[in-house]
Every structure is written in structure tokens, then in C-alpha cells.
Amino acid sequence: VFDNLLATDKLEILLKRFYQASFTKNEIGRPDTASFPHWSHELNIEDIENEDFWRLTLKSLAQTQIKSRWRVYRAYVNAGVYGDTMFSHTDTTPEKQEITVLWYIVPKWNIDWSGETLFYDKDDEIAFAAVPKPGRLVIFDSRIKHAGRPPSRICYHNRFTLALKMEPY
């Protein structure tokens, strides 16, 4: 988990961009939950290397124990709002070594708004929870079961998460 990497002005630019973006309700957690899709917006991976968040991602990756060269194969933004249903899932299959980079693109956050990302252990117990603080970066093994939680009823902001799915090369 990395905090305070994304300057406020850069965060606000992303927020404005995502509030104006076209989202489709087609993202699913698992095949068996396909009848409960949530909102997402695909990003062009060819443009990622020109983004400030990409440079900060690479800098942060270098500070972790994850030692490999990584390439982005998918980049998208999830928009979570009150009333959404989000399910536990993994981002890849057990045999693949991939990582997920998750940026919280929110203007502010209050602990009572919920919206955490929960990470589970092998017994489906909560092992870690990440609060969606503005500009927070979370990097994790894509094989870890996790679930984003929608904002609570008293939250009037979208819970934007920018996800980068990465594989070694």
C-alpha cells in the first residue's frame, strides 16, 4: 500500500476525466455472478506509459519485493456506487503469476462510507482491508481472493478504482 503519491491536481484531473467517461455495466467478478455486472470503463493500454500514475506505479513496484519486469495487458476503471453488488474473486487463475495494481481515484473518503477492498486468506477470512483513500495505490498478487465493497448510502461520490492487470515478460 502506498499513500500520498498522486498530487491533488493530478488526482482532480483523473476524477474529472472519469466523471466524463463512458462506462458500461459489463464487468463481472466471476462467471457465476454474471447476472450482477458493475460499471467499468476501458483505458487504452498504448497510452498508459504517458500517464503520471504509470510512472508512479513503476516507481512503487521497484520498492516492493516483486522482482520481475511487468507489462500491462488490461487497464480499466471501475465505478462503484451505493446499491452496487460486488463479489469476491481473483484476477487470474492459480497457475499464473500476475499482479494487480489498484489506484483509488476518489476526491475524499470518510470511513463511514464503506467502499473498502477486502482481501481474504485461504479460509475466506478477511486478512486485510484497504480503505479507498484519495490517490492510494495497492499492489497485490492477482491470485489473492478479494472484493471491492460499494459505497454506503450516505456516500454521494463514485468509488473509482483504476485497475492495471499486469503479467511478467
Side-chain angles (χ1 to χ4, degrees):
V1 175
F2 297 88
D3 286 323
N4 304 314
L5 297 178
L6 203 54
T8 303
D9 61 328
K10 302 296 184 186
L11 181 62
E12 288 178 9
I13 289 168
L14 286 173
L15 276 165
K16 183 177 180 180
R17 179 172 150 194
F18 297 153
Y19 271 111
Q20 294 174 348
S22 298
F23 283 78
T24 55
K25 196 167 189 174
N26 63 355
E27 189 69 23
I28 61 168
R30 307 184 308 255
D32 64 319
T33 64
S35 58
F36 301 97
H38 58 272
W39 296 99
S40 69
H41 169 74
E42 294 292 322
L43 298 175
N44 186 342
I45 57 175
E46 286 79 30
D47 297 335
I48 295 296
E49 64 186 31
N50 298 320
E51 300 278 3
D52 289 316
F53 66 77
W54 177 242
R55 286 186 282 281
L56 294 169
T57 297
L58 291 176
K59 183 178 177 182
S60 300
L61 265 172
Q63 296 176 41
T64 70
Q65 295 180 0
I66 304 169
K67 303 300 178 203
S68 192
R69 292 180 58 139
W70 300 94
R71 74 168 194 88
V72 177
Y73 68 86
R74 183 170 181 222
Y76 61 100
V77 180
N78 287 312
V81 297
Y82 170 71
D84 282 344
T85 303
M86 299 176 188
F87 293 93
S88 63
H89 63 282
T90 60
D91 291 340
T92 194
T93 55
E95 69 278 359
K96 291 186 180 177
Q97 181 190 353
E98 297 179 357
I99 60 171
T100 299
V101 172
L102 194 65
W103 284 95
Y104 294 98
I105 311 298
V106 294
K108 59 183 178 176
W109 207 260
N110 180 305
I111 193 74
D112 294 320
W113 293 350
S114 301
E116 304 84 3
T117 303
L118 304 177
F119 296 87
Y120 300 95
D121 65 17
K122 62 179 175 42
D123 298 318
D124 288 340
E125 294 288 339
I126 297 170
F128 182 77
V131 174
K133 291 184 177 179
R136 173 170 273 181
L137 169 63
V138 178
I139 301 171
F140 61 95
D141 185 318
S142 299
R143 298 172 289 194
I144 296 173
K145 187 186 288 185
H146 61 283
R149 294 295 180 217
S152 71
R153 183 176 186 176
I154 62 172
C155 178
Y156 296 102
H157 297 284
N158 283 355
R159 176 195 179 270
F160 289 125
T161 53
L162 189 161
L164 303 173
K165 304 299 175 78
M166 302 179 73
E167 62 189 2
Y169 71 97

